[in-house]
Amino acid sequence: MPDIAIIGAGPAGTSAAVYAARADQETYVFHDGGGTTREVDVMENVFGFPEGVSGPELVSLGREHARKFGAEFVDEEVVRIGRTDGEAYEIETTADSYEARGVVIATGASYESPAIKGVDEFEGQGVSYCVECDAYFYRDSTVAVVGAENYAAKEALMLLDYTDDVQVLTNGSEFAADPDLRQRLDDEGIPVRTDRLDRLTGDESVQAIETRDGESIAVDGLFVALGAAGGTDLAEMLGVATEGQYVRTDGSMETNVDRVYAAGDVTGGQRQVNTSVGEGTRAAINLLEDFRDTGEYVDYQKLDDAKSEDGKPEATAD
């Protein structure tokens, strides 16, 4: 029986695996081969990679790091999770079942895609799901945000740090942002259009959005702000509290269920690799603290005070 089961092998899950395995806890990381980092992604805001790094490359390096300390990656999709008769948790996959004393949920979050032709084809070529990640590439450009609620309004306001030419497109829905956000959009001169959108057009990148009425809206970039979909089903099987589409955690990344933590995009907030890595680290360390508080063995010598042969702390002890 593994000590710790981590569900999800993205930046949050692999970061948690590094700390859990390094503390001599038998650590299994379950993943189904999915994820939000694609081959075309080059992320230029990841600490330690000044020239940028692709999502798959970063995840591969993280898994290599976790395996160095003994973490085992299980290529199986988790379909159910529950409690055993004892103090453990049972993880059922499409191929087998496992038990673990503690769980870290790091399943990530997929993004809801709008019903506009060409959105998938132009992803990474003018279509983005993350203002914080990609707004830098649209400095002084014409951009639009598709969405009809608070999330879209906030993303549009954030884009003003990079360009003055911003508009919100609701794609036929009624604009339902809170009054204070609507007022801020008005004050900043950000128009809101309710046209039904049909398709994206362009050669190698997005150049315009065609409406159902045949009008063309020129844009260099389209940011999708419809919210994140899924990610909480497994948590709810355990009675973990959720808020909308996200798992609710406290500052230590702990849920309301004993020895069940969550980290990364599944918790909402800033969808940044750096944030996910930090949350995964925090989740693992605090879960290990739980083990220590209950008298269960954790090798904190390895976790917090690794020594080199001459007795000095190793440079990589963090």
Side-chain angles (χ1 to χ4, degrees), residues 24 62 66 89 99 112 118 179 222 225 244 260 265 277 279 297-298 310:
D24 271 352
Y89 294 99
E99 291 184 6
E112 186 177 343
L222 178 67
V260 176
D265 289 358
V277 169
E279 290 184 355
Y297 176 74
V298 175
D310 61 3

Side-chain angles (χ1 to χ4, degrees), residues 2-315:
D3 297 300
I4 295 175
I6 298 171
I7 306 174
T14 53
S15 175
V18 167
Y19 278 79
R22 190 165 181 258
D24 271 352
Q25 301 301 287
E26 187 174 3
T27 303
Y28 281 21
V29 185
F30 297 91
H31 64 109
D32 59 4
T36 58
T37 50
R38 301 186 179 184
E39 293 291 346
V40 297
D41 292 336
V42 176
M43 299 173 289
E44 296 192 359
N45 57 349
V46 178
F47 178 80
F49 293 90
E51 301 303 321
V53 61
S54 72
E57 180 184 1
L58 186 69
V59 168
S60 177
L61 289 169
R63 292 176 185 176
E64 179 182 342
H65 194 172
R67 287 190 180 101
K68 170 185 174 181
F69 297 114
E72 182 172 341
F73 286 78
V74 182
D75 299 332
E76 298 170 13
E77 180 184 0
V78 175
V79 295
R80 191 187 69 81
I81 184 169
R83 292 180 182 269
T84 67
D85 293 337
E87 293 296 318
Y89 294 99
E90 182 179 22
I91 296 92
E92 181 181 337
T93 73
T94 51
D96 210 337
S97 61
Y98 306 80
E99 291 184 6
R101 293 186 293 142
V103 175
V104 177
I105 299 172
T107 51
S110 59
Y111 296 97
E112 186 177 343
S113 181
I116 304 170
K117 298 183 185 73
V119 165
D120 292 340
E121 290 80 358
F122 282 109
E123 184 174 344
Q125 303 296 325
V127 174
S128 172
Y129 288 77
C130 179
V131 167
E132 290 174 309
C133 306
D134 296 330
Y136 177 84
F137 301 110
Y138 297 91
R139 301 184 305 280
D140 301 321
S141 300
T142 300
V143 297
V145 177
V146 60
E149 300 184 4
N150 290 345
Y151 181 35
K154 291 178 180 179
E155 296 287 87
L157 291 166
M158 188 181 300
L159 280 164
L160 291 176
D161 291 338
Y162 303 90
T163 178
D164 295 328
D165 196 345
V166 183
Q167 58 187 309
V168 175
L169 308 175
T170 71
N171 195 18
S173 299
E174 180 181 353
F175 191 47
D178 292 342
D180 62 326
L181 284 172
R182 296 189 194 193
Q183 187 60 54
R184 288 178 61 190
L185 293 179
D186 289 342
D187 293 343
E188 297 290 351
I190 298 177
V192 177
R193 298 184 55 159
T194 59
D195 309 70
R196 291 293 304 275
L197 307 177
D198 182 46
R199 67 179 63 243
L200 304 182
T201 62
D203 295 327
E204 295 183 357
S205 62
V206 172
Q207 294 175 313
I209 306 169
E210 303 291 339
T211 72
R212 297 283 181 88
D213 295 329
E215 185 177 353
S216 180
I217 303 172
V219 295
D220 300 305
L222 178 67
F223 289 85
V224 179
L226 301 178
T232 59
D233 292 345
L234 295 173
E236 291 174 344
M237 291 178 187
L238 285 173
V240 170
T242 60
E243 294 180 354
Q245 298 163 332
Y246 302 110
V247 175
R248 184 190 302 169
T249 63
D250 61 16
S252 68
M253 311 313 300
E254 185 175 16
T255 72
N256 60 304
V257 177
D258 290 342
R259 290 172 285 108
V260 176
Y261 287 73
D265 289 358
V266 74
T267 67
Q270 295 173 320
R271 301 186 191 99
Q272 299 284 294
V273 167
N274 296 323
T275 301
S276 293
V277 169
E279 290 184 355
T281 299
R282 197 184 318 157
I285 288 177
N286 286 303
L287 176 53
L288 294 169
E289 289 282 357
D290 280 354
F291 286 174
R292 184 173 66 173
D293 290 345
T294 58
E296 299 178 73
Y297 176 74
V298 175
D299 189 346
Y300 281 85
Q301 180 76 11
K302 282 193 173 183
L303 177 66
D304 293 324
D305 192 27
K307 301 292 184 178
S308 62
E309 291 183 359
D310 61 3
K312 295 179 181 179
E314 292 180 350

